[in-house]
Amino acid sequence: GLLPFALFGTRQGIKRYTILVALLLSTIKCISIINIKMPDQVVGMGGIFSALSRFSGLTYIVIALWTIVIILYIGDNVFFKGKADWVGRWLRIGWLILLITGVMALVWILYDANLGGHAEKYGAFSQYLVFNDNWGTRRGYCWRIAWESYMQQPLIHKLFGFGPDTFGILTWGFREEALNLYGEFYESTHNEYLQYLVTMGPFALISYVGFLASSCVMMIKGLKKQPWVLAPLLAVICYGVQAIVNINLPIATPIMWTLLAVGMAMCRTTACKTS
């Protein structure tokens, strides 16, 4: 969603973005074919990827995208070779309008599915749109008991949390209920920000989010002088978005911190050279 604001400034960026989207959807299509042809030999897809692979128009979208890629390369090398870029500004404005429209549509759909009582008309996608205890592989349940347990705490715990990595103890009162309902007990919220809030308090959460946000702002300022900063910048932003439905894991979080450090070091080195 954010990458076009950086890439749509040049024809080269437009081509690369189109190839990126075409490769992503082509991969989903290929994996879906493998799942159909060899169901007993591979681990099947789940979640949103499964929904995308079942979309009847996916094949036509993939063909259309690769056709656009070919047209872009022919046009750039035959008709616009050596000519200055002029479409960047309008494409960015168009993309911004598209994103705003998409967000507004999503907000309306969420309202319609949850408060409007029309979840059934969204079919299989209703499992992603209707927020209840079963939403997101029972993440809704984790979030609900986290918030209810947090609100029952005395003021000192509301300010400074219940203690790092103590979600299982904080929600101990829901243990029997979770075991009866789902046959398992949860020791994390599967939401990094909510996890920090209930276990370490609002001051820790604000500090953490503030550090990530200020680091991203610094990397954005360094983009013009050091374009490579775009890679760690988007990596940190992507991590921040997925953290809404996941916790910090040893397989992913250290990589994010490393990339953030690389991005900050690039900006600091550039600043030192130009000062």
Side-chain angles (χ1 to χ4, degrees):
L2 298 178
L3 195 56
F5 292 112
L7 292 185
F8 280 9
T10 63
R11 291 193 300 270
Q12 181 74 2
I14 296 170
K15 290 187 295 185
R16 288 177 175 178
Y17 184 78
T18 309
I19 291 174
L20 181 67
V21 177
L23 282 172
L24 174 63
L25 295 182
S26 298
T27 301
I28 294 175
K29 181 61 181 178
C30 291
I31 294 176
S32 68
I33 294 173
I34 293 172
N35 282 330
I36 294 173
K37 298 295 183 181
M38 298 182 291
D40 298 328
Q41 301 178 42
V42 297
V43 178
M45 290 190 299
I48 191 66
F49 285 103
S50 178
L52 286 173
S53 66
R54 293 195 303 268
F55 177 56
S56 59
L58 180 60
T59 301
Y60 302 105
I61 294 175
V62 170
I63 294 173
L65 283 171
W66 284 115
T67 303
I68 293 173
V69 169
I70 294 172
I71 293 173
L72 288 174
Y73 268 89
I74 293 175
D76 197 27
N77 292 299
V78 176
F79 300 104
F80 300 103
K81 189 174 183 179
K83 296 183 180 180
D85 289 311
W86 55 272
V87 296
R89 177 184 178 186
W90 298 108
L91 275 178
R92 285 170 173 169
I93 293 175
W95 187 257
L96 177 62
I97 294 173
L98 182 64
L99 280 184
I100 293 174
T101 304
V103 170
M104 292 174 63
L106 179 60
V107 170
W108 164 252
I109 290 173
L110 290 175
Y111 169 82
D112 189 42
N114 290 275
L115 301 178
H118 300 136
E120 68 283 349
K121 73 179 184 181
Y122 299 103
F125 286 99
S126 61
Q127 61 180 313
Y128 305 106
L129 300 174
V130 178
F131 292 96
N132 52 34
D133 282 357
N134 293 320
W135 183 86
T137 321
R138 298 186 286 277
R139 279 169 172 77
Y141 179 78
C142 294
W143 298 354
R144 179 175 65 80
I145 65 175
W147 183 252
E148 290 181 5
S149 300
Y150 174 74
M151 293 304 296
Q152 294 172 3
Q153 299 304 307
L155 180 61
I156 188 68
H157 287 314
K158 288 181 179 178
L159 291 177
F160 300 104
F162 197 76
D165 202 24
T166 57
F167 180 80
I169 301 175
L170 173 66
T171 58
W172 188 265
F174 292 91
R175 183 181 182 88
E176 291 300 324
E177 178 185 277
L179 290 172
N180 292 331
L181 288 173
Y182 305 115
E184 56 185 341
F185 179 67
Y186 302 96
E187 296 187 344
S188 69
T189 62
H190 292 282
N191 181 319
E192 192 168 323
Y193 307 108
L194 183 59
Q195 179 89 1
Y196 286 147
L197 174 64
V198 300
T199 60
M200 292 189 286
F203 297 112
L205 174 61
I206 293 171
S207 300
Y208 175 66
V209 174
F211 175 74
L212 291 183
S214 60
S215 300
C216 289
V217 170
M218 183 175 178
M219 285 188 278
I220 290 173
K221 291 180 178 179
L223 278 177
K224 290 184 178 180
K225 297 178 180 177
Q226 182 55 278
W228 288 5
V229 176
L230 180 64
L233 168 63
L234 288 178
V236 173
I237 292 176
C238 288
Y239 178 90
V241 173
Q242 66 82 37
I244 297 174
V245 292
N246 284 305
I247 59 171
N248 47 348
L249 298 172
I251 197 173
T253 307
I255 298 175
M256 184 276 289
W257 285 110
T258 302
L259 291 172
L260 187 147
V262 169
M264 297 290 287
M266 285 180 177
C267 294
R268 188 173 294 111
T269 302
T270 304
C272 292
K273 289 181 179 179
T274 56
S275 60

